[in-house]
Amino acid sequence: MTRRWRSPARWLVPCAITGLLVGGVAQRTFADEASDWLEKMNNALATRNYDGTFFHLSEGRVETMRIVHRVRGGRITERLQSLDGSGREFVRNNDELTCYLPDQHTVLVEPRQQHGPFLGSLPKFGADVNEFYNIVEVSNTHVLGRAARVIAVNPKDQFRFGYRLWLDEKTAMPLKTQLCDSRGQVIEQILFARLDMPESIPDGDLTPAVHTEGMRWVRQGATADSASPALSAYRASQLPPGFHLTVSGAQTLGDATVPATHYVYSDGLATVSVFVEDPHAEPPHDPAAAPMEGLARVGSGFAFSTVVQGHQVTAVGEVPAQTVEFIAHSVKSYGSSDLPNR
Amino acid sequence: MSEQIREQVSAFLDGELPNSETELLLKRLTRDAELRESFGRYALIGESLRGGGSARLSQNFHTRVNRAIDGEPVSAVNSRSPGTELRRWWRPAAGAAVAAGVMAVAVLSFQQRADVPAVVASLPPATVGAITDASLTEVKPHEALSYTVPAAVGDAPAAMPAARLTSYVFAHSKYSSVLGQSNVLSGLLTDADDQETATADKVSLPKGVHDGSP
């Protein structure tokens, strides 16, 4: 035995360092691979043609929906349709989203400058997002007879939801998704029964089936008009960890004649919108003018409304109820000199 | 529901139903509300048994589970292996296991549905104890929150009208270009009935956040 092997430190230290490096690299690679799969899914959802029927399961109820997504000559057309429930449909034609609401005898139209596909997309995961979510590859399995990777996006606290995604091994299209709370309990599932990715999709498959005769057309959206200075003085004063202001502007809502201020807070994955309205600006006895207080549920998301210094404040987001309530309750009016900008 | 359809539903949820049969099942589900209800029920039970994350259950879920397993003999429970239960969890063998598992999960459930009698939270502007200056405060991760929701005062306020709620969600979805968008928009498609009664639920506050009640 030579002298250089007599001291354990001579070989233990390099081995330990090598082990740590290999372990670290492997760990980073696993996390990166999971994130890579999310990027692939992003790309597939945005660039592929697809026509699928899926089940939307929430609290033991099921609705069947059809999604058609076409990319042709750089133009995106998309249709999301309830097949057995409300009869509602969404159709997006490039920069305009039309929401057909036969149960409300209303068609809502809103311009869309920035958008992702109806089935959603995930942003690039930076360090800030990783601070509040763990992204891991869970397992390999089969869905719809296709090999699938299961990726979990787990929230680290109770202020945001997580996701489990079953991604097609070949195309990275999501075949099944689950929305989960911070304890891993499944809140909502989207489960494809059929998913085709044809070369071309005919116009007829993107035409709404709703008869719009006699329906009221309402155009709402972001407006160049500024909200009143009184409305612009409001901001959330306290935010859950990781959330920050990403967008602020004026927005017309439904039939309202005066724009509301619209703030968007995001943690990089989940978003919460805050609307501040002046109920006195609307005609008396208008339903839009009635003050509201309390919580409402929309799918897996929540809306919480309250009145702050005579103004209607409503927080809406695909987050747990306590998050919208927390943010709405923290909104207050600031003086021009101490208005927070984040 | 016939045995054949049960078999199809179970195989579909296990990812084992051939495409040709999936098409048939889809057609049945689209036109049969009762079958859809059973399908949703079985999907939840399946999730709770698979253990990949427990399914969150609505308030009356245990009742519906009892209905689901009603008439299904439980005597064969011990004759089935766990693997069999997982693969064909709706079978009678799973009855007792389902009841026990689901009831345990139901205890953890905290979210009320919008269609149960609503508790309208009549809240004045909140007192957020941690705020002492005009600058924005971001709660640090894992920091205990001091957050007080005042007791209800005054007359019961208006519930959120369906059309108004739709406008908020529609406007919000533009910025929800993440996975949440599919859930939010799908929610808009499905929640027509709920939105007619879109009143408030009492919210469960997270750990460290108290409602100010004694």
Side-chain angles (χ1 to χ4, degrees), chain A residues 236-252:
Chain A
S237 58
Q238 193 178 38
L239 293 165
F243 281 86
H244 59 277
L245 182 67
T246 56
V247 176
S248 65
Q251 162 90 31
T252 56

Side-chain angles (χ1 to χ4, degrees), chain B residues 10-212:
Chain B
S10 177
F12 172 74
L13 290 170
D14 288 340
E16 296 172 355
L17 191 65
N19 287 348
S20 57
E21 288 188 54
T22 300
E23 281 291 330
L24 288 174
L25 176 64
L26 185 59
K27 284 178 183 167
R28 285 196 184 102
L29 281 162
T30 303
R31 61 173 184 256
D32 186 342
E34 192 178 341
L35 180 58
R36 283 200 302 278
E37 190 185 341
S38 301
F39 181 86
R41 212 159 50 221
Y42 291 165
L44 276 172
I45 295 168
E47 281 305 322
S48 68
L49 284 177
R50 283 185 186 94
S54 49
R56 189 165 68 170
L57 307 175
S58 59
Q59 197 176 44
N60 60 344
F61 188 74
H62 64 284
T63 308
R64 291 194 276 158
V65 170
N66 286 338
R67 278 172 42 201
I69 61 176
D70 188 29
E72 295 180 347
V74 294
S75 57
V77 166
N78 295 330
S79 67
R80 302 278 183 178
S81 69
T84 306
E85 285 180 19
L86 284 175
R87 292 174 66 81
R88 292 290 180 266
W89 37 261
W90 55 266
R91 283 180 173 163
V98 168
V102 163
M103 288 305 292
V105 174
V107 170
L108 297 176
S109 173
F110 66 89
Q111 181 61 53
Q112 294 182 333
R113 279 184 48 138
D115 57 3
V116 300
V119 180
V120 179
S122 175
L123 305 174
T127 303
V128 183
I131 298 172
T132 53
D133 60 29
S135 63
L136 181 78
T137 305
E138 182 181 313
V139 181
K140 296 290 181 290
H142 318 301
E143 180 179 294
L145 300 173
S146 172
Y147 179 67
T148 303
V149 179
V153 294
D155 297 332
M160 204 176 292
R164 217 165 151 185
L165 180 59
T166 302
S167 289
Y168 292 133
V169 176
F170 197 49
H172 166 71
S173 68
K174 176 165 51 181
Y175 298 99
S176 182
S177 61
V178 294
L179 268 176
Q181 185 176 88
S182 62
N183 299 92
V184 168
L185 289 177
S186 297
L188 266 190
L189 288 185
T190 60
D191 278 358
D193 293 339
D194 282 356
Q195 285 183 36
E196 293 302 321
T197 55
T199 49
D201 290 346
K202 184 171 176 59
V203 68
S204 295
L205 298 173
K207 189 179 179 183
V209 178
H210 56 89
D211 64 4

